[in-house]
């Protein structure tokens, strides 16, 4: 299979996904990834994702997230909704609170597409 035959996000021999540096993105894959990266383009959402991802136990209550920001609870909920819509986090209601966790593989999916193949783009 030539480099031109490979399109990111589609089947590749050996099950390995190509990166931005090895093959062009398919249109639907680009739209999917753009939504996730757009969601992370806001500092509040980036911090929220970081707080959720770094939490011991893998999840955090919204009641622990809100006090970390000088924003209203509805604003924090809006940011969390955008992260959910982008497929980066998921939540589960328990009583009056929602507990958030990172969707398994979501961060790897973003990192994998940006990863530079060994030797490519390296500076001496």
């Amino acid at each position: 299979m030539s480099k031109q035959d490979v399109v990111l996000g589609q089947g590749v021999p050996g099950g390995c996904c190509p990166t931005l540096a090895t093959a062009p993105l398919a249109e639907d894959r680009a739209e999917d990834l753009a939504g996730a990266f757009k969601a992370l383009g806001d500092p509040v959402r980036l911090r929220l994702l970081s707080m959720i991802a770094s939490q011991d136990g893998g999840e955090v209550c919204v009641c622990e997230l809100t006090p970390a920001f000088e924003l209203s609870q509805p604003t924090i909920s809006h940011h969390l909704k955008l992260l959910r819509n982008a497929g980066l986090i998921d939540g589960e209601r328990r009583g009056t609170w929602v507990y958030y966790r990172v969707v398994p593989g979501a961060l790897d999916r973003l990192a994998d597409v940006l990863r530079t193949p060994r030797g490519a783009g390296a500076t001496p």
Side-chain angles (χ1 to χ4, degrees), residues 22-39:
T22 61
L25 280 170
E27 185 175 346
D28 59 338
R29 181 77 169 135
E31 287 180 20
D32 176 51
L33 289 167
F37 284 117
K38 183 177 179 181

Side-chain angles (χ1 to χ4, degrees), residues 23-94:
L25 280 170
E27 185 175 346
D28 59 338
R29 181 77 169 135
E31 287 180 20
D32 176 51
L33 289 167
F37 284 117
K38 183 177 179 181
L40 294 176
D42 182 278
V44 171
R45 291 191 291 272
L46 190 56
R47 283 188 60 211
L48 282 167
L49 182 65
S50 175
M51 291 172 72
I52 296 166
S54 64
Q55 191 69 27
D56 285 339
E59 65 180 17
V60 63
C61 178
V62 69
C63 63
E64 297 174 53
L65 296 171
T66 305
F69 299 89
E70 292 183 13
L71 298 170
S72 68
Q73 184 277 325
T75 300
I76 295 297
S77 291
H78 173 73
H79 285 295
L80 291 166
K81 177 183 173 186
L82 293 176
L83 290 170
R84 280 183 87 161
N85 290 346
L88 297 170
I89 64 170
D90 198 8
E92 178 182 337
R93 180 169 294 283
R94 296 182 199 152

Side-chain angles (χ1 to χ4, degrees), residues 112-124:
D112 286 347
V113 77
L114 295 175
R115 190 164 286 118
T116 303
R118 291 183 189 259
T123 56

